[in-house]
Amino acid sequence: MSAGTGRPAARVVVVGGGIIGVSTAAHLQRDGASVVLVTEAELASGASGRSLSWLNSAGTRSAAYHALRMVGIDRYRTLFAADPGREWLRFDGAVYWAPAGQREKAERRHRHEAAHGYDSRLVEPSAVPEYAPGVDPAAVPEAAVANRGEGWVSLPELIAYLAGEFTRHGGELVTHAGKADVVLDGGAARGVTTAGGHRFDADAVVLACGAATPAMVSDLGVPLPDGSPLSMLVVTEPVTSEVTAVLNTPRVAVRPHPGNRYALDHSWYEPHIAEAPDGTCTIDEAVVKELVAEASALFAGDVTLTAASWRLGRKPIPADGEPVFGELAEVPGCFVGFTHSGATLGLIAGELLSYEVRTGTRHPMLEPFRPERFGR
């Protein structure tokens, strides 16, 4: 019997080397399942390797999504408490501000956050350095929203940490396997085959392949509407600066990065990214320099950022913006993890998906996010 019949799955194949896949595999293996984690290329070679990975539940979203994100942040705080010295996981707050002339946008954001008890403060530009030391208050045109409880994580380091735990507990890691296909028997998932023809049998399969997930699910005859845009993450050369908070501004988002670097992204440059038929992406270096200049202008003092590297690709986002978690009703034993908020939800998503796979029981926190909401 498959996990979809209410029976636990003892053998599981997880497909995907990003944070959702690796977290799910680590939780499954930790809790007694026998797991094979299969990745197309290296760990963190997809969206998790180019994510701003801001840990938050700021702004406006559904109550269920907010609750799930808050539990996700809780799991990160537990990890942080175990070793506050990790340079790849920090809780130094975040600051947001809107474009000039749109103060009301910041005020609405603050009112919404405060209404459900989120740690949110509306502050004038002169007060921004109190919440984000090292930021030039002259860069803030009007009121800003400070969220002191937010943080960030560098996902490649977290993935390496979880993968190490996974293998220490006996999990099998198969990298560079190429595209994997789900093996069906009587309409139920019974394992996967790799591009090289190797088959891994299992009681259940978890698909957590970032922006590639909708296509894999479509191959099974199940609709999973996709809204994944092209995106970029720039990492700077090392620089000396006081800035430790995440900054979300009209032209650039900035977070600290291990090694005294900064990671930068935004959305305005998405139309400038060219995608080839094979999925490789390119962008004019002048656009990268423009983004870096926008970031440099936020820093107080004589701080000039320089791009060290940038990575391009699809950012996984379901068409309706809400996460997709759980078993496919049409394919018993096949579970999906597909979400824009992979960083914030990374630990809790792995935990709850593991629970569902191992026990055959649907977790109530995932009910609003089932794949069947899209219908056929």
Side-chain angles (χ1 to χ4, degrees), residues 24-331:
T24 303
H27 279 93
L28 282 163
Q29 190 71 34
R30 178 192 303 165
D31 293 331
S34 176
V35 185
V36 179
L37 175 60
V38 178
T39 74
E40 183 175 9
E42 290 283 353
L43 292 172
S45 61
S48 289
R50 44 182 164 76
S51 168
L52 190 72
S53 47
W54 163 39
L55 304 177
N56 78 96
S57 190
T60 304
R61 56 183 48 83
S62 69
Y65 194 5
H66 172 69
L68 188 62
R69 291 174 75 107
M70 292 303 292
V71 178
I73 293 170
D74 170 77
R75 298 304 190 269
Y76 276 104
R77 288 198 172 279
T78 299
L79 182 62
F80 177 77
D83 182 0
R86 293 187 175 108
E87 69 167 351
W88 47 264
L89 174 60
R90 307 300 304 167
F91 282 96
D92 295 317
V95 176
Y96 160 90
W97 63 85
Q102 298 185 34
R103 180 188 178 98
E104 174 60 22
K105 187 175 181 180
E107 292 176 344
R108 285 198 309 270
R109 183 185 182 106
H110 166 65
R111 286 196 299 269
H112 176 82
E113 293 173 353
H116 54 246
Y118 198 65
D119 189 347
S120 179
R121 297 196 176 194
L122 189 69
V123 298
E124 296 303 316
S126 60
V128 165
E130 296 178 32
Y131 299 91
V135 171
D136 184 356
V140 187
E142 294 172 356
V145 179
N147 304 113
R148 297 175 300 172
E150 295 178 351
W152 60 272
V153 62
S154 181
L155 289 178
E157 286 86 349
L158 173 59
I159 287 169
Y161 171 83
L162 293 173
E165 176 189 329
F166 171 71
T167 55
R168 285 195 303 274
H169 282 90
E172 181 180 355
L173 175 60
V174 181
T175 61
H176 297 281
K179 184 180 182 296
D181 293 303
V182 178
V183 175
L184 300 178
D185 182 4
R190 293 300 187 199
V192 304
T193 56
T194 67
H198 194 89
R199 174 168 171 162
F200 296 95
D201 293 317
D203 305 314
V205 173
V206 179
L207 302 179
C209 309
T213 303
M216 294 192 70
V217 173
S218 177
D219 288 345
L220 300 173
V222 180
L224 186 53
D226 184 19
S228 302
L230 293 168
S231 67
M232 173 175 68
L233 187 78
V234 176
V235 175
T236 72
E237 297 286 359
V239 67
T240 300
S241 170
E242 293 182 82
V243 174
T244 59
V246 177
L247 308 178
N248 288 281
T249 83
R251 291 283 294 177
V252 64
V254 180
R255 72 147 164 88
H257 189 76
N260 297 318
R261 301 169 186 262
Y262 289 91
L264 319 175
D265 85 348
H266 210 269
S267 59
W268 60 261
Y269 52 73
E270 289 172 4
H272 298 280
I273 302 174
E275 184 178 30
D278 65 358
T280 58
C281 298
T282 56
I283 194 168
D284 191 318
E285 189 171 350
V287 178
V288 177
K289 291 181 177 178
E290 184 177 353
L291 182 71
V292 173
E294 296 280 2
S296 295
L298 307 179
F299 288 65
D302 186 20
V303 176
T304 301
L305 302 177
T306 305
S309 63
W310 53 94
R311 297 182 64 179
L312 303 145
R314 290 279 170 185
K315 178 185 296 184
I317 302 180
D320 64 0
E322 297 272 299
V324 181
F325 292 127
E327 189 173 24
L328 299 177
E330 302 91 338
V331 187

